[in-house]
Coordinates of all heavy atoms in Angstrom, one line a residue:
Q1 N 0.8 -1.2 0.0 CA 0.0 0.0 0.0 C 0.9 1.2 0.0 O 0.7 2.2 -0.8 CB -0.9 0.0 1.2 CG -2.0 -1.0 1.2 CD -2.8 -0.9 2.5 OE1 -3.3 0.1 2.9 NE2 -3.0 -2.1 3.1
L2 N 1.9 1.3 0.9 CA 2.7 2.5 1.0 C 3.5 2.7 -0.2 O 3.6 3.8 -0.7 CB 3.6 2.3 2.3 CG 2.9 2.4 3.6 CD1 3.9 2.1 4.7 CD2 2.2 3.7 3.9
D3 N 4.1 1.6 -0.8 CA 4.9 1.8 -2.0 C 4.1 2.4 -3.1 O 4.5 3.3 -3.8 CB 5.5 0.4 -2.4 CG 6.6 -0.1 -1.6 OD1 7.1 0.7 -0.7 OD2 7.0 -1.3 -1.7
T4 N 2.9 1.9 -3.3 CA 1.9 2.4 -4.4 C 1.6 3.8 -4.2 O 1.7 4.6 -5.1 CB 0.6 1.5 -4.3 OG1 0.9 0.2 -4.6 CG2 -0.3 2.0 -5.4
L5 N 1.3 4.2 -2.9 CA 0.9 5.6 -2.7 C 2.1 6.6 -2.7 O 2.0 7.7 -3.3 CB 0.3 5.7 -1.3 CG -1.0 4.9 -1.2 CD1 -1.6 5.0 0.2 CD2 -2.1 5.4 -2.2
R6 N 3.3 6.1 -2.3 CA 4.5 6.9 -2.4 C 4.9 7.2 -3.9 O 5.2 8.3 -4.3 CB 5.7 6.3 -1.7 CG 5.6 6.3 -0.2 CD 6.7 5.4 0.4 NE 6.6 5.3 1.8 CZ 6.9 4.2 2.5 NH1 7.5 3.1 1.8 NH2 6.8 4.1 3.8
T7 N 4.7 6.1 -4.7 CA 5.1 6.3 -6.1 C 4.1 7.2 -6.8 O 4.5 8.1 -7.6 CB 5.0 4.9 -6.8 OG1 5.9 4.0 -6.2 CG2 5.3 4.9 -8.3
Y8 N 2.8 7.1 -6.4 CA 1.8 8.0 -7.0 C 2.1 9.4 -6.6 O 2.0 10.3 -7.5 CB 0.4 7.6 -6.5 CG -0.7 8.5 -6.8 CD1 -1.4 8.5 -8.0 CD2 -1.1 9.5 -5.9 CE1 -2.4 9.4 -8.3 CE2 -2.1 10.4 -6.2 CZ -2.7 10.3 -7.4 OH -3.7 11.2 -7.7
C9 N 2.4 9.7 -5.4 CA 2.7 11.1 -4.9 C 3.9 11.6 -5.7 O 4.0 12.8 -6.1 CB 2.9 11.1 -3.4 SG 1.3 10.9 -2.5
N10 N 4.9 10.8 -5.8 CA 6.2 11.2 -6.5 C 5.9 11.5 -7.9 O 6.3 12.6 -8.4 CB 7.1 10.0 -6.4 CG 8.6 10.4 -6.6 OD1 8.9 11.6 -6.5 ND2 9.4 9.5 -6.8
L11 N 5.1 10.7 -8.6 CA 4.7 11.0 -10.0 C 4.0 12.3 -10.2 O 4.1 13.0 -11.2 CB 3.9 9.8 -10.6 CG 4.6 8.6 -11.0 CD1 3.7 7.4 -11.3 CD2 5.6 8.8 -12.1
H12 N 3.1 12.6 -9.2 CA 2.3 13.8 -9.3 C 2.8 15.0 -8.5 O 2.1 16.0 -8.2 CB 0.9 13.5 -8.9 CG 0.2 12.5 -9.8 ND1 0.3 11.1 -9.7 CD2 -0.6 12.7 -10.9 CE1 -0.4 10.6 -10.7 NE2 -0.9 11.5 -11.4
Q13 N 4.1 15.0 -8.1 CA 4.7 16.0 -7.4 C 4.0 16.5 -6.2 O 3.8 17.7 -5.9 CB 5.0 17.3 -8.3 CG 6.1 17.1 -9.3 CD 5.6 16.6 -10.6 OE1 4.6 17.1 -11.1 NE2 6.4 15.7 -11.2
K14 N 3.5 15.5 -5.4 CA 2.8 15.7 -4.2 C 3.7 15.4 -3.0 O 4.4 14.4 -3.1 CB 1.5 14.9 -4.1 CG 0.5 15.3 -5.1 CD -0.7 14.4 -5.1 CE -1.7 14.7 -6.2 NZ -2.9 15.5 -5.7
S15 N 3.8 16.3 -2.1 CA 4.7 16.1 -0.9 C 4.0 15.3 0.2 O 3.0 15.8 0.7 CB 5.1 17.5 -0.5 OG 5.9 17.3 0.7
I16 N 4.6 14.2 0.6 CA 4.0 13.4 1.7 C 4.5 14.0 3.0 O 5.7 14.0 3.3 CB 4.4 11.9 1.6 CG1 3.9 11.3 0.3 CG2 3.9 11.2 2.8 CD1 4.5 9.9 0.0
V17 N 3.6 14.6 3.8 CA 4.0 15.2 5.1 C 3.8 14.3 6.3 O 4.2 14.6 7.4 CB 3.3 16.6 5.2 CG1 3.8 17.5 4.2 CG2 1.8 16.4 5.3
G18 N 3.1 13.2 6.0 CA 2.8 12.2 7.1 C 2.3 10.9 6.6 O 1.6 10.9 5.6
E19 N 2.8 9.9 7.3 CA 2.3 8.5 7.0 C 1.7 7.9 8.3 O 2.4 7.9 9.3 CB 3.4 7.6 6.4 CG 3.9 8.0 5.1 CD 5.0 7.1 4.5 OE1 5.4 6.1 5.2 OE2 5.5 7.3 3.4
Y20 N 0.5 7.5 8.2 CA -0.3 7.0 9.3 C -0.6 5.6 9.0 O -1.3 5.3 8.0 CB -1.5 7.8 9.5 CG -1.2 9.3 9.8 CD1 -1.0 10.1 8.7 CD2 -1.2 9.8 11.0 CE1 -0.8 11.5 8.9 CE2 -0.9 11.2 11.2 CZ -0.7 12.0 10.1 OH -0.4 13.3 10.3
V21 N -0.1 4.6 9.8 CA -0.3 3.2 9.5 C -0.8 2.5 10.7 O -0.2 2.4 11.8 CB 1.1 2.6 9.1 CG1 1.0 1.1 8.8 CG2 1.7 3.4 7.9
D22 N -1.9 1.8 10.5 CA -2.5 0.9 11.6 C -2.3 -0.5 11.1 O -2.9 -0.9 10.1 CB -4.0 1.2 11.8 CG -4.3 2.4 12.7 OD1 -3.6 2.5 13.7 OD2 -5.1 3.2 12.3
R23 N -1.5 -1.3 11.8 CA -1.2 -2.7 11.4 C -2.0 -3.6 12.3 O -2.0 -3.5 13.5 CB 0.3 -2.9 11.7 CG 1.3 -2.1 10.8 CD 2.7 -2.3 11.2 NE 3.6 -1.4 10.5 CZ 4.1 -1.6 9.3 NH1 3.9 -2.7 8.7 NH2 4.8 -0.7 8.7
G24 N -2.5 -4.6 11.6 CA -3.2 -5.7 12.3 C -4.5 -5.2 13.0 O -4.8 -5.8 14.1
V25 N -5.2 -4.2 12.5 CA -6.3 -3.6 13.2 C -7.5 -3.7 12.2 O -7.4 -3.3 11.1 CB -6.1 -2.2 13.6 CG1 -7.2 -1.7 14.4 CG2 -4.8 -2.0 14.3
S26 N -8.7 -4.1 12.7 CA -9.9 -4.2 11.9 C -10.4 -2.9 11.6 O -10.2 -1.9 12.3 CB -10.9 -5.0 12.8 OG -12.2 -4.8 12.2
G27 N -11.1 -2.8 10.5 CA -11.7 -1.5 10.0 C -13.1 -1.4 10.5 O -13.8 -0.5 10.1
K28 N -13.5 -2.2 11.5 CA -14.9 -2.1 11.9 C -15.2 -0.9 12.8 O -16.3 -0.5 12.9 CB -15.3 -3.4 12.7 CG -14.7 -3.5 14.1 CD -15.3 -4.8 14.8 CE -14.6 -4.9 16.1 NZ -14.9 -6.1 16.8
S29 N -14.2 -0.3 13.5 CA -14.4 0.8 14.3 C -13.2 1.7 14.3 O -12.1 1.3 13.9 CB -14.9 0.5 15.7 OG -13.8 0.1 16.5
I30 N -13.3 2.9 14.9 CA -12.2 3.8 15.1 C -11.4 3.5 16.3 O -10.2 3.8 16.4 CB -12.7 5.3 15.1 CG1 -13.4 5.5 13.7 CG2 -11.5 6.2 15.3 CD1 -14.1 6.9 13.7
E31 N -12.0 2.8 17.3 CA -11.3 2.4 18.5 C -10.1 1.5 18.2 O -10.2 0.7 17.4 CB -12.3 1.6 19.4 CG -13.1 2.5 20.3 CD -14.1 1.6 21.2 OE1 -13.6 0.6 21.8 OE2 -15.3 2.0 21.2
G32 N -9.0 1.8 18.9 CA -7.8 1.0 18.8 C -7.0 1.3 17.5 O -5.9 0.8 17.3
R33 N -7.5 2.3 16.7 CA -6.8 2.7 15.5 C -6.1 4.0 15.8 O -6.6 5.1 15.4 CB -7.8 2.7 14.3 CG -8.3 1.3 14.0 CD -9.3 1.3 13.0 NE -8.9 1.9 11.7 CZ -9.7 2.2 10.8 NH1 -11.0 2.0 10.9 NH2 -9.3 2.7 9.7
Y34 N -5.0 3.9 16.5 CA -4.3 5.1 17.0 C -3.8 6.0 16.0 O -3.8 7.2 16.1 CB -3.3 4.7 18.0 CG -3.9 3.8 19.2 CD1 -3.5 2.5 19.3 CD2 -4.8 4.4 20.1 CE1 -4.1 1.7 20.3 CE2 -5.4 3.6 21.0 CZ -5.0 2.3 21.2 OH -5.6 1.5 22.1
E35 N -3.4 5.4 14.9 CA -2.8 6.3 13.8 C -4.0 7.0 13.1 O -3.8 8.2 12.7 CB -2.1 5.4 12.8 CG -0.7 4.9 13.4 CD 0.3 6.0 13.6 OE1 0.6 6.7 12.6 OE2 0.7 6.2 14.7
L36 N -5.1 6.4 12.9 CA -6.3 7.1 12.3 C -6.7 8.3 13.2 O -7.0 9.4 12.8 CB -7.4 6.2 12.1 CG -8.7 6.8 11.6 CD1 -8.5 7.5 10.2 CD2 -9.8 5.8 11.5

């Protein structure tokens, strides 16, 4: 996911100012998703 998004930003001259990554966390709620 990160490689794809970094490449996209690079191609479109968009500056990534932050990467927020929740590993091993369900998308069912916001609880426990500290990066979100």
Side-chain angles (χ1 to χ4, degrees):
Q1 290 177 50
L2 292 174
D3 288 347
T4 301
L5 298 176
R6 289 173 187 147
T7 301
Y8 171 84
C9 288
N10 203 12
L11 282 172
H12 293 87
Q13 286 92 42
K14 293 173 183 262
S15 173
I16 298 169
V17 296
E19 291 184 1
Y20 303 81
V21 179
D22 281 315
R23 294 173 190 273
V25 186
S26 167
K28 73 177 177 187
S29 78
I30 298 172
E31 271 178 50
R33 293 173 60 196
Y34 302 112
E35 289 293 300
L36 177 59

